[in-house]
Amino acid sequence: MIDVIALSKRVADANGELTILDQVNFTVQRRETLAIVGASGSGKSTLLGLLAGLDTPSSGKVILDGSDIFALDEDGRARLRKVKLGFVFQSFQLLSHLSALENVMLPLELRGDPKAKEKAVAMLGRVQLSSRLKHFPKYLSGGEQQRVALARAFVTEPPLLFADEPTGSLDATTGEAVIQLMFALNRERGSTLVLVTHDPSIAARCARTITIAGGRLV
């Protein structure tokens, strides 16, 4: 599903140049669950952003389901994400002016799906939010917002799901419930899951773990 080839990311800083990622290579098989772990500042979230084509590398390639994503322009990468990817952010990234239902409908509407509302209602039911369809994010708890974000990520049934510290903004009990739900949905949909986490107990639930330290795979 994913081939990462000699991927590097460097940025300018006060001392000249800072290397965030340095010649990273790995593959992810279809339907695999992979955790990316490492200390704060190790480059793991930068790596996830590059895998999703949300950022561009200084050098190297990411082949996503047969497509060289950095051979595409920005619009091409956006189209690829629309078809191939779901993304769950630590900070939820819900649109504040849309209800829970409208947030989940949005990726379906962008695809022109005539059953957007029906599918979004069903997906919010799956994450136990049928009674909160019309609530706006500010009226939802952190755990409810993350469940809306999960519903939005899974509603298009993407073959690949990325999650960046999906429990980082939640308390332990709520985070555990969200993680259980995410893995259950992933099994049901048969998708490939790549997540960034600092929590070893979450990483242990994945079939494989890779560790980033100082921008390198260790």
Side-chain angles (χ1 to χ4, degrees):
M1 177 59 82
I2 306 172
D3 282 304
V4 178
I5 304 166
L7 195 66
S8 297
K9 179 69 176 181
R10 296 177 294 275
V11 297
D13 71 356
N15 297 317
E17 188 174 71
L18 174 66
T19 298
I20 300 174
L21 293 171
D22 186 17
Q23 295 287 309
V24 173
N25 296 273
F26 63 93
T27 62
V28 184
Q29 301 302 318
R30 202 171 300 275
R31 298 194 175 191
E32 186 175 11
T33 54
L34 174 72
I36 301 172
V37 302
S40 178
S42 61
K44 57 188 186 296
S45 290
T46 298
L47 174 58
L48 196 68
L50 289 170
L51 298 184
L54 298 172
D55 193 7
T56 55
S58 302
S59 59
K61 292 183 178 183
V62 174
I63 312 298
L64 197 157
D65 200 18
S67 297
D68 181 350
I69 63 175
F70 299 115
L72 304 172
D73 61 15
E74 190 171 335
D75 289 340
R77 290 194 295 274
R79 287 192 294 270
L80 185 70
R81 282 193 296 271
K82 187 166 68 173
V83 174
K84 301 284 187 183
L85 298 184
F87 208 116
V88 181
F89 298 90
Q90 176 178 342
S91 54
F92 318 134
Q93 298 290 342
L94 301 179
L95 297 179
S96 61
H97 63 287
L98 298 182
S99 67
L101 178 60
E102 291 165 338
N103 266 283
V104 178
M105 286 174 61
L106 183 60
L108 294 167
E109 291 176 327
L110 291 173
R111 288 183 170 192
D113 192 323
K115 295 184 177 180
K117 184 174 182 179
E118 177 184 332
K119 291 179 179 179
V121 168
M123 195 69 224
L124 282 164
R126 179 64 187 82
V127 299
Q128 296 146 12
L129 287 175
S130 293
S131 63
R132 313 288 271 173
L133 301 182
K134 295 183 180 180
H135 287 67
F136 290 90
K138 67 180 179 180
Y139 298 116
L140 300 172
S141 69
E144 288 171 333
Q145 289 185 60
Q146 192 61 293
R147 281 188 278 153
V148 173
L150 282 177
R152 182 182 59 187
F154 277 104
V155 74
T156 58
E157 299 189 3
L160 180 59
L161 181 76
F162 291 138
D164 188 5
E165 297 281 11
T167 62
S169 299
L170 306 175
D171 64 78
T173 301
T174 304
E176 173 64 20
V178 165
I179 284 295
Q180 287 187 10
L181 182 58
M182 184 176 72
F183 277 95
L185 289 170
N186 195 68
R187 285 192 300 271
E188 290 172 13
R189 299 300 191 276
S191 51
T192 304
L193 172 65
V194 179
L195 65 88
V196 162
T197 183
H198 66 278
D199 187 333
S201 67
I202 294 174
R205 300 186 190 204
C206 292
R208 186 161 61 104
T209 299
I210 62 173
T211 302
I212 301 288
R216 287 180 171 269
L217 205 63
V218 297

